[in-house]
Amino acid sequence: MGVTESWSELESQRDRLAASTTADLFARDPDRVAHCTLEAAGLLLDHSRQLVDDDVLQSLHGLAQSVGVPVSIHKLFGGEPVNVTENRAALHAALRQPAGAGIGGAVIERQVLAERARMLHLAEQVRSGRLKSASGLTFKDVVNIGIGGSDLGPLMAVRALKPWGVGAPRIHGVGNIDGAALGDLLTELDPRTTLFVVVSKTFTTEETLSNAEQARQWLHERAGAEAVARQIVGVSANAQAMNEFGISPALRLEFWEWVGGRYSLWSSVGFVLAVAIGAEHFEALLAGAHRMDLHFRDTPLEANLPVRLALLGVWNVNLQKLPALAVLPYDSRLARWPAFLQQLEMESNGKGVTRSGEPVAHETAPVVFGEPGNEAQHSFYQLLHQGTARAALDILVNAAASEATLSHAIAQAEAFLYGLRGADIDPARRQPGDRPVNLVMFRTLDPATLGALIAAYEHKVFVQSVLWDVNAFDQFGVELGKRMAREVKTALRNPQGASETTPSLRGTLANLARLRSKVWVAWWIGAALSALSLAPNSLRADPWLAPGNLALRQDVQLLADHGVIRSPAMTWPMSWPDIARDVLAAPVSVANDPLLEHALERVRRAARDASVTGPGGLEWRAAASADPTPLRTFADVPREEGEVAVAMSVMSDVIDRLTKDKTGILTVRITQFDKQLDRLSKWRTR
């Protein structure tokens, strides 16, 4: 039977079952669960709650045969270029093979085993404390810097296998380019005991390199050049780029062009996972995945668990017209499993053209979303049960979970099947049921089981790509936005040149410019109102005089240690006017250093909130403005009179500057300012 005929037969099967429910299928076959269960490599798939019967499965297997799924599986494991657009193999199965398996050929096997040994040796050196930092200390924190497949897989697995991480350094992950995640994390880390792992296949990924450069600068400034050489591991296929970045040859790990990012967890990309769980358990993860590989490669379609997952997915997407897949693990350690699957499924099969470049004639990848099941019950299960937008459901169940967890997971599967029907049921409470559910169950969540689980879904995605005739191993859809980001960055830096851009971009840049100007104005408002609130008879406590304010004292000492302000006498009370003068006059940007920037902002906030003058005076400066001109300087004036004078001076200058800038933003605030000035005048004349 040809491909077209196979699809037509499936449409006939759908029409045949159109008047049936899954509950009807159970009524016809009470042993349906047993007949709809497959097991492999420690996983159990129960798809009895799907609207399929033996005839549907036979037609699905016929489709798989007609599109050449068995031949494609052979090509995948044989190292043929199944990534047709880039003419590359996709040998992620080779990454988890043991010696003698020969997946991808003898040369590939030798490369994989040699690099795996290097990676695991280095991971054990870090984990055991034998590898020391430049300060001679054991690493307490390991930070993975990567994005996409260089982050989602390893960090998902680290969390999933946390019980196997006892005694290991703490593992962190940073991916986003905004710098906030890394900046916040750096405030909690000790540069003498932190190891960074920079993971990028090309070593040109903007997000990764931006964070890596920030980490390198932080290390250099706090622990010296030797720390940069000894505390950054590089994982890449681009040795030259790692060399240019300054990564020591002893700390470089390799993976290859034929390893797709979202399929790379098994390679040196999984270095932080190996640090977390140790070499023995990492090998167990690989072994579990390899068991699933052998099952997938060698088992007939009719009993093949990944193939069955793929066929059921195609039935739901293309025949039942369900555009979404909800992934619901009832195990909090699998909290990042849905996010991992989002990339694996949607980046692989979210395609609109066939492998030959023609438009596809049918739906491809579903929208994947999810959360741990118990949390999801209290967020979006309402839609899943009663909403008009329907989704297929994968519920993951750890048989070792508590009775409470198991009862919720199984009860939800039953509720999705049977619903709540009947003429006597309040319409608002009715639930139609008949939501298609896969129950994916396992005895316990250990490294081998997780390996098998990941491999099963990898193979599911590959089979679906064959059924849909798309390439699961490229991702050109993500490249356009990256290229355009470079053009937008140029326009942000040179707004005058934006006249040659699109009208949509010009309009957005104009809106952004207005918002950014309001940020500047908002700071002046804050500074003025802070000063105006300092009445002599209602002074707030000066934080500099609080002996228990250790955090503020540490911030001041950090700034002094790095020369941002003059070193104060670290006794209480501190010399407030001198410190305040230095803090408020410090540069706006502290060498693009998040740790110092955050410390400076906290101390500035305290300085503004406690704006008190004294001997030596207080000099107000624009901490968030490019204009460094002092607003006013008052020296040797009585304390209370100085407070009022400073407040009124700041108020006056704020209004003057806003008027000169012709922003027109503060018109509505002038009345409030006048009232504050009147209040201050009365205080001063007391």
Side-chain angles (χ1 to χ4, degrees):
M1 185 182 296
V3 176
T4 302
E5 291 80 6
S6 296
W7 281 108
S8 296
E9 182 175 311
L10 281 168
E11 290 171 353
S12 298
Q13 296 287 2
R14 175 199 59 200
D15 295 341
R16 177 180 61 84
L17 289 175
S20 299
T21 66
T22 310
D24 294 335
L25 300 183
F26 269 97
R28 296 171 199 163
D29 179 10
D31 294 327
R32 179 174 167 79
V33 171
H35 299 152
C36 295
T37 294
L38 293 178
E39 293 188 63
L43 301 185
L44 183 151
L45 168 64
D46 167 12
H47 63 83
S48 60
R49 294 169 180 82
Q50 298 269 358
L51 188 60
V52 298
D53 58 14
D54 289 343
D55 290 338
V56 171
L57 290 176
Q58 185 176 347
S59 297
L60 287 168
H61 295 143
L63 174 65
Q65 289 286 357
S66 68
V67 300
V69 167
V71 173
S72 296
I73 293 173
H74 177 77
K75 290 180 178 180
L76 177 72
F77 281 85
E80 296 188 38
V82 293
N83 180 351
V84 292
T85 54
E86 298 174 303
N87 194 33
R88 292 175 182 164
L91 280 168
H92 40 284
L95 296 171
R96 52 230 190 190
Q97 65 180 314
I103 297 176
V107 174
I108 294 292
E109 180 185 328
R110 284 197 299 271
Q111 288 178 336
V112 167
L113 296 179
E115 188 62 22
R116 184 191 302 167
R118 285 190 67 245
M119 185 271 284
L120 292 178
H121 175 73
L122 182 59
E124 283 296 309
Q125 292 283 101
V126 174
R127 194 174 200 274
S128 66
R130 292 193 295 273
L131 183 69
K132 304 293 186 183
S133 72
S135 302
L137 301 175
T138 299
F139 290 111
K140 296 180 180 178
D141 295 275
V142 177
V143 182
N144 188 87
I145 298 178
I147 198 165
S150 299
D151 169 85
L152 287 169
L155 273 296
M156 176 276 293
V158 166
R159 180 164 181 173
L161 300 177
K162 188 172 182 179
W164 283 264
V166 175
R170 293 177 297 181
I171 306 296
H172 313 273
V174 173
N176 206 311
I177 198 172
D178 64 8
L182 182 57
D184 291 346
L185 179 60
L186 292 179
T187 64
E188 304 170 7
L189 301 180
D190 185 338
R192 301 170 302 168
T193 58
T194 300
L195 178 71
F196 293 98
V197 183
V198 183
V199 187
S200 172
K201 184 174 180 178
T202 63
F203 224 77
T204 59
T205 307
E206 182 180 12
E207 296 92 337
T208 299
L209 289 188
S210 175
N211 284 318
E213 298 216 6
Q214 186 177 338
R216 179 173 62 180
Q217 180 180 346
W218 181 80
L219 272 180
H220 187 274
E221 292 185 354
R222 284 163 178 72
E226 188 179 358
V228 173
R230 295 179 59 177
Q231 294 178 219
I232 302 179
V233 172
V235 183
S236 179
N238 190 341
Q240 180 179 348
M242 287 194 285
N243 185 56
E244 292 171 356
F245 191 83
I247 293 176
S248 167
L251 297 180
R252 296 181 197 171
L253 297 171
E254 180 185 9
F255 65 112
W256 305 273
E257 290 292 340
W258 45 262
V259 181
R262 54 192 173 275
Y263 301 91
S264 62
L265 164 68
W266 324 99
S267 69
S268 294
V269 171
F271 174 73
V272 294
L273 175 59
V275 171
I277 65 175
E280 179 182 356
H281 297 306
F282 191 88
E283 295 272 19
L285 177 90
L286 301 182
H290 182 64
R291 284 181 63 200
M292 184 59 72
D293 292 339
L294 297 182
H295 166 80
F296 175 60
R297 185 189 68 182
D298 301 335
T299 304
L301 299 181
E302 293 76 11
N304 196 307
L305 190 150
V307 171
R308 185 70 58 88
L309 279 172
L311 293 172
L312 292 168
V314 167
W315 171 257
N316 287 324
V317 169
N318 299 111
L319 283 307
Q320 299 299 314
K321 302 302 179 183
L322 298 175
L325 172 64
V327 181
L328 310 165
Y330 276 80
D331 189 321
S332 60
R333 292 197 177 102
L334 286 172
R336 295 296 292 165
W337 178 251
F340 171 73
L341 278 194
Q342 283 176 331
Q343 186 196 24
L344 179 62
E345 299 223 13
M346 293 195 286
E347 192 170 81
S348 294
N349 288 339
K351 310 292 170 60
V353 297
T354 66
R355 286 176 288 186
S356 59
E358 299 297 323
V360 297
H362 41 65
E363 301 86 353
T364 54
V367 174
V368 178
F369 68 100
E371 285 286 332
N374 282 120
E375 287 90 340
Q377 288 176 200
H378 296 272
S379 57
F380 56 78
Y381 268 40
Q382 168 62 42
L383 180 146
L384 296 180
H385 279 294
Q386 291 185 305
T388 57
R390 296 180 63 212
L393 315 165
D394 278 8
I395 296 178
L396 280 68
V397 179
N398 182 348
S402 67
E403 287 186 356
T405 301
L406 293 172
S407 64
H408 276 278
I410 297 169
Q412 289 294 335
E414 290 288 279
F416 283 125
L417 167 60
Y418 293 107
L420 186 62
R421 306 166 184 159
D424 58 334
I425 302 296
D426 177 0
R429 298 178 185 275
R430 288 179 194 157
Q431 298 186 33
D434 222 29
R435 272 45 176 165
V437 174
N438 284 327
L439 275 178
V440 180
M441 307 174 75
F442 40 88
R443 184 171 291 106
T444 187
L445 184 60
D446 57 17
T449 301
L450 182 64
L453 182 66
I454 298 170
Y457 275 83
E458 287 180 348
H459 296 321
K460 167 207 167 180
V461 166
F462 174 66
V463 171
Q464 287 183 329
S465 76
V466 177
L467 295 165
W468 288 322
D469 191 25
V470 298
N471 181 7
F473 303 110
D474 63 16
Q475 54 278 333
F476 296 115
V478 306
E479 295 180 6
L480 175 62
K482 290 182 179 180
R483 190 186 75 235
M484 294 181 72
R486 294 191 288 271
E487 300 169 2
V488 172
K489 184 185 291 184
T490 300
L492 283 170
R493 293 173 175 174
N494 180 25
Q496 290 74 22
S499 59
E500 301 178 3
T501 64
T502 63
S504 56
L505 178 57
R506 288 197 299 274
T508 298
L509 291 175
N511 282 338
L512 185 60
R514 286 195 299 115
L515 290 173
R516 293 178 114 185
S517 70
K518 288 182 180 180
V519 170
W520 182 87
V521 171
W523 183 85
W524 281 105
I525 295 171
L529 294 179
S530 175
L532 290 170
S533 66
L534 293 172
N537 295 326
S538 59
L539 286 175
R540 284 166 285 175
D542 185 346
W544 305 97
L545 304 179
N549 201 337
L550 179 61
L552 185 61
R553 179 174 178 171
Q554 289 175 334
D555 282 338
V556 171
Q557 187 63 62
L558 177 66
L559 295 172
D561 289 345
H562 288 82
V564 178
I565 63 174
R566 288 171 293 175
S567 181
M570 296 306 290
T571 58
W572 300 96
M574 301 171 96
S575 175
W576 158 248
D578 292 338
I579 296 172
R581 182 187 303 112
D582 282 355
V583 168
L584 294 174
V588 175
S589 176
V590 189
N592 197 29
D593 187 312
L595 187 63
L596 291 181
E597 285 181 341
H598 291 162
L600 182 58
E601 180 54 32
R602 287 191 293 267
V603 178
R604 273 179 175 156
R605 192 179 303 120
R608 290 195 294 266
D609 288 348
S611 307
V612 180
T613 59
L618 168 63
E619 185 175 78
W620 283 79
R621 288 182 181 270
S625 169
D627 182 359
T629 308
L631 294 178
R632 288 289 188 274
T633 301
F634 292 87
D636 301 320
V637 292
R639 177 177 175 122
E640 293 185 2
E641 187 175 343
E643 292 161 4
V644 176
V646 169
M648 294 184 69
S649 172
V650 171
M651 184 71 263
S652 175
D653 275 8
V654 167
I655 294 175
D656 287 346
R657 294 192 186 202
L658 290 172
T659 303
K660 290 175 184 177
D661 290 342
K662 299 180 180 179
T663 61
I665 295 171
L666 275 189
T667 304
V668 297
R669 307 292 301 221
I670 298 302
T671 301
Q672 180 181 353
F673 286 177
D674 288 341
K675 290 180 180 178
Q676 293 280 11
L677 286 171
D678 181 64
R679 228 166 108 211
L680 284 173
S681 296
K682 291 178 180 177
W683 282 334
R684 189 175 188 183
T685 56
R686 278 185 175 181

